[in-house]
Amino acid sequence: FALIVLTILVVNIIRFCWLDDTPKGYNVDEVAAAVSIKCLATSGTDAFMNPNPIFLHQGWATPRPPTYAYPAALWTKIFGYTVDMLRAFSAFAYLLAILGLFFLAKKIINSSYAILVCLCASISPWSWCLSRIGYESIFCLTGLIWGIFFFIRSEKCFNKILSGICFSIAAYMYPPCRLQIP
């Protein structure tokens, strides 16, 4: 048990290491978002000087949703505008997803099972790609997991409202999730 918990901790600490080296610098999908997020955090505009944008339009690809752009702007304002700090935001979101998986698995079965689920989520190969790059799609997973947790947590109205908020965040973050949530 101790070895499993230690593995979870070490792997997730390493998730935050060398974020600016693998890959070197911003990749093509990150650079436009990084510019827009820095503009939003410093001047309250997008890269095209539109004040208080709802979506960060980048001139190509998918616009960044407000559920990613504004928290990312706050994150970079606090931690800095470097490659590793934008990527750390995604790594942090994945840690929140793992925490949500823990509570979800504990609710469904028990704590021992929840620890094993966290181990699998921590060492999953696909999670390394998404949780170490400055993408908004990892936040979809986080919102989806917490939405499911609050949905099955209890019949109280408050939990259903939290579930709806989490599902809405997931749907905003990654458009295909709008089909997956129902």
Side-chain angles (χ1 to χ4, degrees), residues 6 30 35 44 62 69 92 116 130 138 143 150 165 170-171 179 182:
L6 182 64
E30 291 174 303
V35 169
T62 307
F92 176 73
L116 291 175
L130 291 176
I138 197 72
F150 287 121
I165 290 169
L179 296 173

mmCIF file of all heavy atoms in Angstrom, residues 6 30 35 44 62 69 92 116 130 138 143 150 165 170-171 179 182:
data_model
loop_
_atom_site.group_PDB
_atom_site.id
_atom_site.type_symbol
_atom_site.label_atom_id
_atom_site.label_comp_id
_atom_site.label_asym_id
_atom_site.label_seq_id
_atom_site.Cartn_x
_atom_site.Cartn_y
_atom_site.Cartn_z
ATOM 1 N N LEU A 6 3.292 5.976 -2.605
ATOM 2 C CA LEU A 6 4.541 6.647 -2.956
ATOM 3 C C LEU A 6 4.669 6.803 -4.473
ATOM 4 O O LEU A 6 5.071 7.861 -4.964
ATOM 5 C CB LEU A 6 5.741 5.870 -2.396
ATOM 6 C CG LEU A 6 7.106 6.488 -2.660
ATOM 7 C CD1 LEU A 6 7.226 7.837 -1.962
ATOM 8 C CD2 LEU A 6 8.204 5.541 -2.204
ATOM 9 N N GLU A 30 -0.135 25.584 -28.591
ATOM 10 C CA GLU A 30 -0.031 26.372 -27.357
ATOM 11 C C GLU A 30 0.287 27.836 -27.603
ATOM 12 O O GLU A 30 -0.127 28.690 -26.825
ATOM 13 C CB GLU A 30 1.089 25.812 -26.475
ATOM 14 C CG GLU A 30 0.831 24.485 -25.868
ATOM 15 C CD GLU A 30 2.050 23.980 -25.143
ATOM 16 O OE1 GLU A 30 3.123 23.851 -25.759
ATOM 17 O OE2 GLU A 30 1.940 23.737 -23.932
ATOM 18 N N VAL A 35 -0.232 33.550 -26.190
ATOM 19 C CA VAL A 35 -0.237 34.981 -26.513
ATOM 20 C C VAL A 35 -1.561 35.604 -26.075
ATOM 21 O O VAL A 35 -1.589 36.654 -25.429
ATOM 22 C CB VAL A 35 0.004 35.200 -28.027
ATOM 23 C CG1 VAL A 35 -0.277 36.643 -28.422
ATOM 24 C CG2 VAL A 35 1.421 34.799 -28.398
ATOM 25 N N GLY A 44 -6.380 42.848 -20.475
ATOM 26 C CA GLY A 44 -7.814 42.600 -20.509
ATOM 27 C C GLY A 44 -8.376 42.486 -21.910
ATOM 28 O O GLY A 44 -9.580 42.612 -22.109
ATOM 29 N N THR A 62 -9.352 26.304 -33.005
ATOM 30 C CA THR A 62 -10.506 26.482 -32.137
ATOM 31 C C THR A 62 -10.270 27.643 -31.178
ATOM 32 O O THR A 62 -9.208 27.734 -30.563
ATOM 33 C CB THR A 62 -10.730 25.193 -31.319
ATOM 34 O OG1 THR A 62 -10.803 24.099 -32.215
ATOM 35 C CG2 THR A 62 -11.991 25.278 -30.500
ATOM 36 N N ALA A 69 -9.843 30.284 -20.589
ATOM 37 C CA ALA A 69 -9.080 31.520 -20.780
ATOM 38 C C ALA A 69 -8.946 32.345 -19.503
ATOM 39 O O ALA A 69 -7.837 32.769 -19.151
ATOM 40 C CB ALA A 69 -9.734 32.359 -21.879
ATOM 41 N N PHE A 92 -1.982 20.772 -13.160
ATOM 42 C CA PHE A 92 -2.819 20.998 -11.978
ATOM 43 C C PHE A 92 -4.247 20.501 -12.224
ATOM 44 O O PHE A 92 -4.851 19.865 -11.362
ATOM 45 C CB PHE A 92 -2.816 22.481 -11.609
ATOM 46 C CG PHE A 92 -3.731 22.822 -10.472
ATOM 47 C CD1 PHE A 92 -3.415 22.456 -9.171
ATOM 48 C CD2 PHE A 92 -4.913 23.507 -10.705
ATOM 49 C CE1 PHE A 92 -4.272 22.767 -8.112
ATOM 50 C CE2 PHE A 92 -5.768 23.821 -9.661
ATOM 51 C CZ PHE A 92 -5.442 23.449 -8.372
ATOM 52 N N LEU A 116 -6.079 2.414 -6.033
ATOM 53 C CA LEU A 116 -5.676 1.720 -7.257
ATOM 54 C C LEU A 116 -6.110 2.499 -8.507
ATOM 55 O O LEU A 116 -5.372 2.561 -9.493
ATOM 56 C CB LEU A 116 -6.234 0.298 -7.285
ATOM 57 C CG LEU A 116 -5.635 -0.664 -6.270
ATOM 58 C CD1 LEU A 116 -6.353 -2.012 -6.325
ATOM 59 C CD2 LEU A 116 -4.141 -0.838 -6.505
ATOM 60 N N LEU A 130 -1.525 14.829 -22.455
ATOM 61 C CA LEU A 130 -2.494 15.898 -22.246
ATOM 62 C C LEU A 130 -2.236 16.731 -21.001
ATOM 63 O O LEU A 130 -2.583 17.901 -20.964
ATOM 64 C CB LEU A 130 -3.904 15.311 -22.195
ATOM 65 C CG LEU A 130 -4.419 14.752 -23.510
ATOM 66 C CD1 LEU A 130 -5.779 14.114 -23.314
ATOM 67 C CD2 LEU A 130 -4.486 15.834 -24.568
ATOM 68 N N ILE A 138 -7.855 18.876 -21.312
ATOM 69 C CA ILE A 138 -7.693 18.112 -20.067
ATOM 70 C C ILE A 138 -8.704 18.578 -19.027
ATOM 71 O O ILE A 138 -9.137 17.808 -18.177
ATOM 72 C CB ILE A 138 -6.247 18.184 -19.541
ATOM 73 C CG1 ILE A 138 -5.980 17.081 -18.531
ATOM 74 C CG2 ILE A 138 -5.935 19.512 -18.911
ATOM 75 C CD1 ILE A 138 -5.867 15.714 -19.123
ATOM 76 N N GLY A 143 -13.769 18.237 -15.438
ATOM 77 C CA GLY A 143 -15.170 18.592 -15.248
ATOM 78 C C GLY A 143 -16.091 17.393 -15.337
ATOM 79 O O GLY A 143 -17.052 17.272 -14.571
ATOM 80 N N PHE A 150 -20.459 14.381 -8.336
ATOM 81 C CA PHE A 150 -21.546 15.116 -7.680
ATOM 82 C C PHE A 150 -22.912 14.560 -8.062
ATOM 83 O O PHE A 150 -23.846 14.600 -7.268
ATOM 84 C CB PHE A 150 -21.461 16.612 -7.988
ATOM 85 C CG PHE A 150 -20.338 17.303 -7.276
ATOM 86 C CD1 PHE A 150 -19.350 17.965 -7.988
ATOM 87 C CD2 PHE A 150 -20.248 17.290 -5.894
ATOM 88 C CE1 PHE A 150 -18.302 18.604 -7.338
ATOM 89 C CE2 PHE A 150 -19.207 17.919 -5.224
ATOM 90 C CZ PHE A 150 -18.235 18.580 -5.952
ATOM 91 N N ILE A 165 -22.938 22.244 -13.095
ATOM 92 C CA ILE A 165 -21.864 23.216 -13.328
ATOM 93 C C ILE A 165 -20.628 22.506 -13.871
ATOM 94 O O ILE A 165 -20.012 22.960 -14.846
ATOM 95 C CB ILE A 165 -21.538 23.994 -12.030
ATOM 96 C CG1 ILE A 165 -22.689 24.938 -11.683
ATOM 97 C CG2 ILE A 165 -20.222 24.759 -12.164
ATOM 98 C CD1 ILE A 165 -22.604 25.562 -10.303
ATOM 99 N N ALA A 170 -17.164 21.048 -18.540
ATOM 100 C CA ALA A 170 -16.631 20.024 -19.438
ATOM 101 C C ALA A 170 -17.094 20.265 -20.869
ATOM 102 O O ALA A 170 -16.309 20.150 -21.818
ATOM 103 C CB ALA A 170 -17.051 18.638 -18.962
ATOM 104 N N ALA A 171 -18.351 20.604 -21.053
ATOM 105 C CA ALA A 171 -18.894 20.828 -22.394
ATOM 106 C C ALA A 171 -18.277 22.057 -23.049
ATOM 107 O O ALA A 171 -18.040 22.059 -24.261
ATOM 108 C CB ALA A 171 -20.412 20.965 -22.327
ATOM 109 N N LEU A 179 -21.453 15.785 -26.779
ATOM 110 C CA LEU A 179 -22.117 14.549 -27.174
ATOM 111 C C LEU A 179 -21.921 13.455 -26.142
ATOM 112 O O LEU A 179 -22.745 12.569 -26.009
ATOM 113 C CB LEU A 179 -21.595 14.066 -28.530
ATOM 114 C CG LEU A 179 -21.864 14.972 -29.716
ATOM 115 C CD1 LEU A 179 -21.148 14.459 -30.947
ATOM 116 C CD2 LEU A 179 -23.360 15.092 -29.969
ATOM 117 N N PRO A 182 -24.351 13.509 -22.242
ATOM 118 C CA PRO A 182 -25.662 12.855 -22.092
ATOM 119 C C PRO A 182 -25.539 11.340 -22.058
ATOM 120 O O PRO A 182 -26.235 10.659 -21.368
ATOM 121 C CB PRO A 182 -26.448 13.318 -23.321
ATOM 122 C CG PRO A 182 -25.805 14.582 -23.741
ATOM 123 C CD PRO A 182 -24.353 14.432 -23.381
#
